Amino acid sequence: MKRTRLAALMTGLAAALTLTACGVPPTGVIEAGEAATGMSSPAPRTAKLVLVSLYFLQDGKLRVYARKTPAPASVEEAVRMLFAGPTVDERATVTTELPLLKNGPQVKAKSDSTVYVLLPTEVSPLSQPAMRQLACTVSNADVTLAALPSTAAVGGTGGDAEEPPVAKPGSPARTVYAVGDGWSRTQRADSCPEAVRS
């Protein structure tokens, strides 16, 4: 039994000498923050912003205002921003004759030059200045449009979706149809003030 104790003591002593011989000094607990959990995620990417031209009224005349929106922009997004009205700063100089809508209307294209804006049922027929605001904003949104189903009547919803046409910068002025519950108005987007380009 004496030999077993002596062997255990010698083994422990040899282990202690080996650890101190490698030059690692003994230390206590080192605080280094919270323990790692899971995988880290990459830093969020910042979205590229593009300018969208919105048309408001100043003393009854159209005036263009540029707003930034994440790319890619859409005509529907431009129309949604237009129906949200001028910002607080913009209201100092411009107004709108469009009704203020929290959720923008649906925007559909029949061709490169014909766009339908389908309004909620509670919206009354739009005035001529409001139609000009809408037509100029839609005409100057140089982005892809959602397709209006080929079998849909004006204000209808039936049919299969077509491939959306692509509106190219500098394309001819568009004709906009605003469609509400039991009414529709048409406006061609000609003689609009020049749009802001990004």
Side-chain angles (χ1 to χ4, degrees):
M1 190 137 145
K2 249 184 174 188
R3 273 190 146 179
T4 312
R5 278 188 179 171
L6 186 58
L9 183 61
M10 293 302 273
T11 304
L13 185 59
L17 287 174
T18 303
L19 287 176
T20 57
C22 70
V24 178
T27 60
V29 176
I30 298 173
E31 295 292 329
E34 293 183 29
T37 58
M39 296 177 62
S40 65
S41 36
R45 295 181 188 183
T46 45
K48 179 184 175 191
L49 297 177
V50 294
L51 293 178
V52 174
S53 294
L54 303 179
Y55 289 81
F56 295 111
L57 299 169
Q58 182 178 36
D59 299 324
K61 295 180 181 174
L62 286 176
R63 178 147 179 218
V64 65
Y65 274 79
R67 295 257 188 95
K68 291 180 182 178
T69 189
S74 69
V75 173
E76 195 160 12
E77 176 66 11
V79 170
R80 184 198 62 75
M81 292 183 343
L82 182 67
F83 274 90
T87 64
V88 174
D89 291 340
E90 292 166 346
R91 281 186 223 139
T93 56
V94 294
T95 62
T96 184
E97 285 208 14
L98 292 164
L100 298 180
L101 300 176
K102 286 188 178 197
N103 299 317
Q106 289 185 351
V107 179
K108 304 290 180 182
K110 193 69 172 174
S111 69
D112 269 359
S113 62
T114 305
V115 176
Y116 290 86
V117 178
L118 310 175
L119 296 159
T121 57
E122 69 273 7
V123 174
S124 299
L126 301 180
S127 68
Q128 186 65 29
M131 286 298 300
R132 289 188 64 228
Q133 284 182 254
L134 184 57
C136 288
T137 297
V138 168
S139 182
N140 286 292
D142 297 327
V143 290
T144 302
L145 301 169
L148 181 70
S150 59
T151 58
V154 173
T157 57
D160 296 326
E162 302 169 352
E163 281 297 310
V166 177
K168 298 165 192 71
S171 63
R174 295 188 180 127
T175 300
V176 176
Y177 292 89
V179 181
D181 187 20
W183 64 268
S184 69
R185 296 282 188 273
T186 305
Q187 179 67 46
R188 185 160 167 78
D190 44 10
S191 62
C192 297
E194 189 171 333
V196 177
R197 302 287 180 212
S198 50

